[in-house]
Amino acid sequence: MGSLPVAESSFVGRRREITQVSRALSRARLVTLTGVGGVGKTRLALEVAARSERVFRDGVWVVDLAALRDGTLVARTVADTLGIQDRSGRPPEEQLAGYLADRALLIVLDNCEHLCQACALFAETMLRSVPGLRILATSRQTLGVPGEHVLVVPPLSVPDPDRLPPTAALMRREAVRLLADRATTGTRDFAVTKENRHAVAALCARLEGIPLAIELAAARLASLSIEQVVSRLEDRLALLTGGNPAALPRQQTLRATIDWSHALCTPQERRLWARLSVFAGGFDLDAAESVCVDADLGGEEILDLVDGLVKQSIIMRVEVKGSVRYRMLETIRDYGRERLAEQGEMDRLSSRHRDYFLGLVERMNAGWSGPGQVAALARLRTDHDNLRAALEWCMRDPAGPEPALALTAALRYHWCVGGYVTEGRWWLERALGLSGEPSPARTAALWVAAWTAVNLGDHRAAGRCLGECERLAEQQHDEVSQAYARTMRGIDAIYQGRVSEAIGHLEEAIAAHQRLEEANGILLSMLVQARSYSNVGDTARCKALAERTLTLSEELGERCWHAYALWAYGLEVWAEGDTERADDLARRGLSIQWEFNDAVGASLTIELLAWIAESRHELVRAARLLGAAGVIWRSIGASAGFRSPQTSELHDRCVRRVRHVLGEARCRAARQEAERNCTTVEQAIAYALHDCRPQPSGG
């Protein structure tokens, strides 16, 4: 359990530091690893974290903050890493504290230096609220939190070039071992020998044992001899110190090494290095080609240039669920951004980066009601850091608010289906606050903002957004926004128990969406209308609408609303007494929700399975299923807002009956057994589908 990344290369040395950090973690709840850039803080932290997995019952979780620029999103980023979806509207610190209250885990906060104040506040708040939490931070400066245990990460041990030991003994120096290890990835026949050991020792000593500097130098051994690398690097260092390289501060040694690597790149590699730095958190080849290509850099060059930068350790190749992506260490990315700014290209590339992701999202939206939903949401989750970077640029774009409004609105399924509701609302409010000038982009952003507000139970805000949206849509003859505003009115009304009002809004919405041939609007509106009829006891109309939703979604290959329609239909079938068919429908829906990692849908469906189990007198199973659903409700910090009065009553009745028959002690034991097996949405779904077996009659 946890989010430890797969190591991209072997770990060399650091036995003493591993012991020191492990001991510090056993004594202090906050340990911060400090040191200069490139000294290996992250790699040491990850190695310690990997060796500590068995110590922490609820896992080790790595949160990379390098791409984050807004400190207000630190807690939200941690929650995302832990798989906690933001559905409640509560501050993420509060949501995390509730979810983690009785858990024992280690959180690694990596790359804190540019967000020190925000990270310090987060650490202090969470350590005070969660007794079983330990935090291991990496930062170029301390966080300054009371109780913080600070360890300075030293460079790797280096040999003294003037007092060289035998070759075998030389290999015991960590810097030499790292150089030899990394060099063999570029040229297989490299080895430390009696003939080259003086040059090896000189290089490691000159680079002062800084791992990143050594890795950059090792990459050059594919095309240069060790003696040539030493000679060229010495020339570069001498330029910075007036001929006295020994006077160079350690941080400047790394800078000089990066300068040297940059100088050895071809002009096109240097140009691409700078342009790739606009990406946050990683990129794929298609993104690189779309954003970086122009008259000076041809599309046919990109693949070879990327391959060259990988071989030189400027960028790293990583596989993510079968697809290839690339990323830069933050030190390398910062250097590239400096070059990009010097070339006067930062604004242009930032706009191209934004436009690429806006286009990507708009294409996904155009095909949303088809079979690509799961892949689309997964892609957006993978590129969440890039989306944040694009949104930040939108907020500063001198071109005005239109791009910000367009992108925040286009990301509606990422926000409302993908599990980023609170963050989505935050971005939408920022975009809408840039200007109050009417525009089609503002009109669309308003109904999306209303959708996020409804999902978070803020009905007043939803009403304000919808009122303005409806006025603008009428002025602009924007029928699509008018139709979605009507759908949102219906959803808002049903969440507040005003079912007759909801039915009226949704009848209008369905007709409007059908007129516009808006498949997603039709499906969503029919689904909510089915729920409305269920709430007033009109089973026939509810089932008819659910069947229409199932038929249309199946024809289109749509999965998201199909799963909810299975839940709605299953609820009615169960109410009619057909528990076997209801159980089958619920399980089919839950299997789809597993694909989406849909916390809300999974909670509702697992509760339906609990009600079915209780009506079959499988009371222990019902209690366990209630426990599994409860874990998800608590993790997302939401419950009542996603239940209608009808489903709230069904939940309460099931709880009362199970508790009455089993007794408080047996009921609590069954729920706790489920809670031990369900710490994530995926685990809760798997538990409900496979592990929570039917029990004999009576429990």
Side-chain angles (χ1 to χ4, degrees):
M1 186 189 307
S3 64
L4 274 172
V6 176
E8 294 159 4
S9 55
S10 59
F11 186 81
V12 176
R14 300 288 197 192
R15 286 186 181 180
R16 184 168 61 89
E17 288 85 355
I18 289 171
T19 300
Q20 288 177 332
V21 179
S22 299
R23 285 177 179 169
L25 274 175
S26 70
R27 298 168 183 167
R29 298 183 60 209
L30 171 61
V31 177
T32 302
L33 306 184
T34 66
V36 298
V39 82
K41 300 181 294 294
T42 295
R43 202 56 207 278
L44 176 59
L46 294 180
E47 185 66 19
V48 171
R51 298 183 185 208
S52 303
E53 281 189 289
R54 293 184 181 180
V55 176
F56 295 95
R57 182 183 70 239
D58 296 300
V60 173
W61 303 84
V62 180
V63 184
D64 185 359
L65 300 174
L68 191 64
R69 289 293 175 263
D70 193 320
T72 60
L73 293 174
V74 168
R76 182 68 261 152
T77 303
V78 174
D80 291 344
T81 302
L82 269 68
I84 303 172
Q85 298 180 19
D86 62 338
R87 299 278 188 172
S88 68
R90 293 186 298 161
E93 293 86 353
E94 183 182 325
Q95 193 179 351
L96 277 166
Y99 179 70
L100 300 176
D102 57 354
R103 299 181 191 273
L105 72 162
L106 172 67
I107 293 177
V108 179
L109 292 180
D110 191 25
N111 294 298
C112 298
E113 53 273 343
H114 60 301
L115 301 167
C116 264
Q117 188 174 355
C119 290
L121 180 61
F122 171 81
E124 193 167 8
T125 301
M126 297 309 299
L127 291 171
R128 187 170 55 244
S129 306
V130 184
L133 174 64
R134 291 277 198 281
I135 295 176
L136 177 59
T138 73
S139 177
R140 295 180 195 176
Q141 64 186 84
T142 63
L143 301 187
V145 174
E148 178 184 22
H149 188 112
V150 178
L151 289 171
V152 179
V153 179
L156 299 174
S157 59
V158 299
D160 181 351
D162 298 325
R163 301 173 62 186
L164 277 186
T167 303
L170 184 65
M171 287 298 295
R172 288 199 287 270
R173 298 296 187 186
E174 294 170 327
V176 175
R177 283 163 49 205
L178 180 65
L179 178 70
D181 180 86
R182 298 303 187 259
T184 55
T185 64
T187 173
R188 295 185 180 182
D189 59 356
F190 179 83
V192 179
T193 65
K194 184 178 179 180
E195 288 73 27
N196 69 14
R197 65 194 185 101
H198 287 280
V200 167
L203 180 61
C204 292
R206 194 62 209 87
L207 295 177
E208 300 187 84
I210 300 174
L212 179 54
I214 292 170
E215 295 200 14
L216 290 172
R220 291 296 167 187
L221 291 172
S223 55
L224 299 172
S225 70
I226 187 73
E227 291 80 9
Q228 288 174 312
V229 169
V230 172
S231 174
R232 295 189 179 207
L233 183 58
E234 285 289 355
D235 291 343
R236 169 63 61 175
L237 297 175
L239 286 175
L240 298 178
T241 59
N244 180 17
L248 204 60
R250 183 168 290 143
Q251 186 61 47
Q252 286 299 312
T253 298
L254 175 61
R255 174 68 180 214
T257 308
I258 299 175
D259 280 338
W260 172 67
S261 291
H262 188 259
L264 290 177
C265 289
T266 67
Q268 292 297 73
E269 286 173 340
R270 290 196 290 270
R271 181 173 282 116
L272 183 59
W273 178 347
R275 293 181 180 185
L276 290 174
S277 69
V278 78
F279 291 100
F283 56 91
D284 61 16
L285 195 62
D286 176 70
E289 290 172 338
S290 299
V291 173
C292 301
V293 168
D294 63 7
D296 298 321
L297 192 61
E300 72 283 355
E301 299 179 81
I302 297 297
L303 178 57
D304 287 339
L305 292 172
V306 165
D307 187 51
L309 291 174
V310 169
K311 289 176 180 176
Q312 296 170 71
S313 296
I314 303 304
I315 60 178
M316 290 175 289
R317 180 185 185 276
V318 292
E319 287 200 19
V320 180
K321 296 182 179 178
S323 64
V324 175
R325 287 178 66 85
Y326 304 90
R327 69 181 186 89
M328 288 182 178
L329 291 176
E330 196 61 15
T331 304
I332 301 295
R333 179 173 179 250
D334 287 344
Y335 186 92
R337 289 177 71 81
E338 288 179 22
R339 303 284 78 75
L340 195 64
E342 287 174 2
Q343 296 160 13
E345 289 203 306
M346 183 64 79
D347 288 2
R348 186 174 73 90
L349 265 293
S350 295
S351 294
R352 293 194 66 170
H353 174 270
R354 184 267 321 281
D355 293 344
Y356 169 76
F357 283 101
L358 176 59
L360 177 72
V361 175
E362 287 177 336
R363 289 192 298 276
M364 289 178 175
N365 289 350
W368 172 253
S369 296
Q373 291 174 325
V374 174
L377 291 177
R379 172 64 191 271
L380 295 180
R381 278 194 294 271
T382 298
D383 271 312
H384 192 61
D385 286 335
N386 276 312
L387 295 173
R388 282 175 169 172
L391 287 163
E392 280 292 354
W393 171 243
C394 286
M395 302 303 162
R396 304 193 307 272
D397 191 343
E402 295 302 294
L405 293 165
L407 183 54
T408 52
L411 284 165
R412 53 190 173 270
Y413 301 119
H414 185 54
W415 306 140
C416 295
V417 181
Y420 295 93
V421 179
T422 305
E423 184 175 341
R425 185 183 183 188
W426 183 74
W427 285 113
L428 282 155
E429 288 177 347
R430 287 184 65 185
L432 289 165
L434 292 173
S435 169
E437 286 296 311
S439 70
R442 181 176 183 83
T443 306
L446 283 163
W447 73 256
V448 178
W451 194 6
T452 63
V454 168
N455 278 331
L456 296 171
D458 191 343
H459 303 292
R460 183 174 297 179
R464 285 197 303 269
C465 289
L466 290 172
E468 184 181 353
C469 175
E470 288 161 342
R471 287 194 300 274
L472 293 179
E474 185 174 1
Q475 293 168 10
Q476 297 161 4
H477 306 292
D478 183 347
E479 293 183 281
V480 172
S481 290
Q482 286 178 316
Y484 273 107
R486 195 57 51 195
T487 298
M488 296 309 145
R489 287 283 189 196
I491 296 173
D492 190 43
I494 195 171
Y495 278 160
Q496 296 181 75
R498 304 199 307 266
V499 183
S500 297
E501 180 184 330
I503 289 172
H505 287 311
L506 291 164
E507 281 181 359
E508 293 180 25
I510 293 168
H513 287 300
Q514 287 175 332
R515 204 166 48 246
L516 296 165
E517 298 183 345
E518 256 281 337
N520 178 70
I522 296 169
L523 289 170
L524 177 58
S525 302
M526 287 198 307
L527 174 63
V528 181
Q529 186 73 303
R531 187 171 173 183
S532 300
Y533 284 127
S534 175
N535 283 347
V536 296
D538 193 336
T539 298
R541 286 188 177 180
C542 172
K543 288 174 67 177
L545 273 168
E547 285 175 343
R548 284 172 61 192
T549 305
L550 289 169
T551 299
L552 178 58
S553 59
E554 195 164 341
E555 288 173 359
L556 295 170
E558 192 276 340
R559 303 281 284 168
C560 178
W561 306 134
H562 190 88
Y564 280 91
L566 287 168
W567 168 79
Y569 197 70
L571 182 62
E572 295 307 303
V573 169
W574 167 68
E576 291 178 328
D578 191 345
T579 59
E580 186 172 345
R581 190 178 180 205
D583 189 81
D584 176 66
L585 290 165
R587 286 175 176 276
R588 284 165 53 196
L590 195 55
S591 296
I592 296 172
Q593 284 150 354
W594 177 84
E595 298 173 16
F596 284 89
N597 193 31
D598 179 359
V600 172
S603 303
L604 292 169
T605 307
I606 292 172
E607 284 216 354
L608 174 57
L609 287 170
W611 305 340
I612 295 168
E614 184 276 326
S615 65
R616 290 171 162 177
H617 306 291
E618 298 167 0
L619 301 177
V620 172
R621 180 166 175 261
R624 289 173 176 165
L625 289 165
L626 288 170
V631 168
I632 305 176
W633 285 128
R634 288 192 297 277
S635 77
I636 62 176
S639 178
F642 288 95
R643 291 194 184 115
S644 66
Q646 176 210 29
T647 54
S648 292
E649 170 55 29
L650 291 171
H651 166 82
D652 294 341
R653 186 178 69 186
C654 181
V655 170
R656 286 195 303 270
R657 289 179 175 178
V658 170
R659 187 177 291 149
H660 174 73
V661 177
L662 292 182
E664 185 64 39
R666 287 185 69 198
C667 184
R668 183 171 56 251
R671 295 184 71 154
Q672 288 174 345
E673 191 270 341
E675 290 167 0
R676 284 193 298 272
N677 288 280
C678 305
T679 58
T680 66
V681 176
E682 295 95 328
Q683 289 175 345
I685 292 174
Y687 183 78
L689 288 175
H690 306 297
D691 299 332
C692 190
R693 302 294 184 187
Q695 301 295 313
S697 180

